[in-house]
Amino acid sequence: MTFDTGCDRIEILLTSYAAGDLGPDEHAEVERHLVACQGCRGELLRERTLRDTLASMPLIPCPDRVTDAVMAAVDADENRARAAIRRIGFHGRRRAAVGMLAAAAVLALVFVVPSSERAIVDPVAETSEQTWSEEEILTARGEVRFTLALAARIIEKTEKSTISEVFGQRLPGVVTKSVKTLASSLEGGQG
Amino acid sequence: MDKNAFIEILRTHRDRVFSYSVYCLRDRDDAEDVTQDAFLRLWRKRDEVDPDRVEAWLIRVAHNLCIDHTRRRRTARNYVARPEMKLAVEQAASAALAAGPDHGLVREQTRTLLLDAMSVLHEETRSAVMMHYFQGMKIEEIARILEKKTSTVKVQIHRARKALRGALELGAECGAVLERETT
């Protein structure tokens, strides 16, 4: 077989020619060349042998164990995803509960604590007159945190859904005092 | 893509992906791993894959996984050297001729020697050949999967045919001999 640039080009086109994918111009060009070139006719024969042999290769049935393994992995993925959603949901609800409790604690300071008590211990009035030791602030912060965590646990474990349901109409006295301490220390730039 | 749609895709395409992997790797165990891995990747990327192009996507993933397996295997096993491969091809062809006028057997033997000969092709070239001839994919589709120019894929297939010339000529010769004997 003699090679020239014409044969090189035709040989590359033979794959598409045998697949029937050539446009009319290139198809005609290949056919003209094949009439005159024995080497490219041999190449076309090899192309067709390759095509026929590989195209006729039978599909091999995929074993069921492969499908089973895929589905087991898919199920495991789904279970992990569901568990993750449950975890996110739990943490999300817990964060929301703590946030609600914090807000409720502030509101409780204003609305739940009787006005008579508020009159006796006025954090704004105390701000200008009283400063708090670091220990007192830390203690107050710990008591508020503990109480809110306790309330969150109670909400989580029971049917109760608000802080007023947990503590009745008023916060425990010690917490009220701690909230006031923290509020006034923040006002005074101490917190 | 929900789970039911995925199961349907798995049922529809598993044999094709598995067969492609078996013919590329010539190893059923590795092909099982590739098939399993390809479908699991599909599940995990189910929201990113175009449902109309899922077969091409699976073949592309299987192609990449087959290449990974081949590279790992190449370090673990010694491949048959080219002269020994040529001898194996000739022996297979002789066996086909000696078997008599059985076209099915000749085709089977030609297939065996072709697949053996293909194992010396570059992974990507072998994949292009398998995608075009076995999967029936268009050159343009293969070029997209391999991220090559269409002209590059055409040249790859042309070169593969050249490299497989010995096996193809023996296969064609077997067929010609049988034609003569049966007419």
Side-chain angles (χ1 to χ4, degrees):
Chain A
M1 183 167 61
T2 57
F3 273 96
D4 59 28
T5 51
C7 286
D8 283 346
R9 175 177 151 70
I10 296 298
E11 285 188 359
I12 290 170
L13 289 175
L14 283 179
T15 307
S16 299
Y17 172 80
D21 288 339
L22 282 185
D25 291 346
E26 284 184 323
H27 184 88
E29 181 189 350
V30 170
E31 295 225 309
R32 277 196 305 275
H33 185 93
L34 287 172
V35 169
C37 181
Q38 188 182 358
C40 285
R41 286 200 297 275
E43 189 68 12
L44 179 61
L45 181 63
R46 289 188 285 278
E47 162 64 27
R48 285 187 170 143
T49 305
L50 180 62
R51 182 170 297 277
D52 292 347
T53 307
L54 295 186
S56 65
M57 289 200 302
L59 280 182
I60 304 168
C62 180
D64 285 342
R65 63 178 167 273
V66 175
T67 313
D68 294 345
V70 170
M71 290 317 300
V74 165
D75 289 342
D77 261 13
E78 279 196 322
N79 289 338
R80 273 197 297 274
R82 272 197 288 270
I85 288 167
R86 274 201 297 274
R87 277 199 302 278
I88 291 164
F90 170 73
H91 290 310
R93 282 198 302 278
R94 195 164 61 179
R95 275 197 296 276
V98 170
M100 279 170 58
L101 284 169
V106 172
L107 289 172
L109 189 64
V110 178
F111 297 112
V112 179
V113 176
S115 57
S116 56
E117 195 175 327
R118 261 187 275 152
I120 296 167
V121 190
D122 185 344
V124 177
E126 282 177 353
T127 305
S128 57
E129 297 169 5
Q130 190 174 356
T131 55
W132 305 92
S133 71
E134 195 175 332
E135 190 180 350
E136 284 173 312
I137 293 169
L138 283 173
T139 303
R141 191 177 289 158
E143 283 171 349
V144 170
R145 192 178 293 132
F146 173 78
T147 306
L148 293 178
L150 180 68
R153 295 272 298 171
I154 291 167
I155 286 173
E156 205 175 285
K157 300 283 184 190
T158 67
E159 295 293 309
K160 296 181 192 301
S161 59
T162 64
I163 195 164
S164 61
E165 284 178 42
V166 174
F167 292 123
Q169 285 303 305
R170 52 182 297 172
L171 287 167
V174 63
V175 182
T176 306
K177 186 170 180 295
S178 296
V179 169
K180 287 176 180 174
T181 303
L182 284 176
S184 64
S185 67
L186 284 168
E187 287 279 336
Q190 284 189 265
Chain B
M1 183 192 303
D2 63 14
K3 193 172 177 181
N4 287 336
F6 173 77
I7 292 170
E8 190 56 37
I9 288 169
L10 178 61
R11 284 190 184 133
T12 306
H13 297 290
R14 60 185 173 183
D15 289 350
R16 192 149 279 282
V17 174
F18 180 65
S19 303
Y20 174 85
S21 307
V22 169
Y23 289 133
C24 278
L25 294 168
R26 311 294 308 279
D27 184 303
R28 288 182 69 100
D29 290 340
D30 284 353
E32 286 185 17
D33 290 346
V34 164
T35 307
Q36 187 178 321
D37 209 355
F39 279 101
L40 202 51
R41 286 181 190 206
L42 173 65
W43 169 252
R44 288 173 182 163
K45 302 252 180 196
R46 60 192 178 280
D47 295 329
E48 300 168 28
V49 179
D50 180 353
D52 294 334
R53 299 174 57 80
V54 75
E55 183 174 357
W57 190 92
L58 281 166
I59 293 299
R60 180 167 64 83
V61 172
H63 154 75
N64 289 332
L65 291 168
C66 284
I67 286 178
D68 289 347
H69 270 265
T70 307
R71 286 178 183 160
R72 276 203 299 273
R73 198 166 57 178
R74 192 175 288 158
T75 59
R77 296 180 197 171
N78 289 322
Y79 258 74
V80 181
R82 276 175 186 270
E84 289 162 334
M85 182 66 76
K86 187 169 181 294
L87 183 64
V89 165
E90 285 168 357
Q91 284 171 343
S94 302
L97 284 170
D102 181 340
H103 283 86
L105 186 62
V106 167
R107 177 165 275 179
E108 178 67 35
Q109 293 287 353
T110 305
R111 187 183 299 145
T112 303
L113 64 89
L114 245 186
L115 289 172
D116 283 344
M118 280 172 62
S119 64
V120 299
L121 296 178
H122 185 272
E123 295 98 347
E124 191 174 275
T125 303
R126 188 166 62 244
S127 294
V129 167
M130 287 299 295
M131 285 179 201
H132 182 65
Y133 295 109
F134 176 62
Q135 293 289 122
M137 297 169 84
K138 301 276 188 199
I139 303 286
E140 291 76 12
E141 180 77 55
I142 299 167
R144 271 197 295 274
I145 288 174
L146 299 179
E147 297 174 347
K148 302 279 183 191
K149 291 180 183 171
T150 304
S151 56
T152 305
V153 175
K154 285 181 180 173
V155 170
Q156 277 181 320
I157 291 177
H158 169 236
R159 286 183 182 157
R161 197 171 61 228
K162 289 282 184 197
L164 299 171
R165 181 175 175 166
L168 290 170
E169 283 182 346
L170 284 166
E173 192 182 323
C174 292
V177 169
L178 288 180
E179 283 293 323
R180 282 198 298 274
E181 287 185 3
T182 53
T183 52

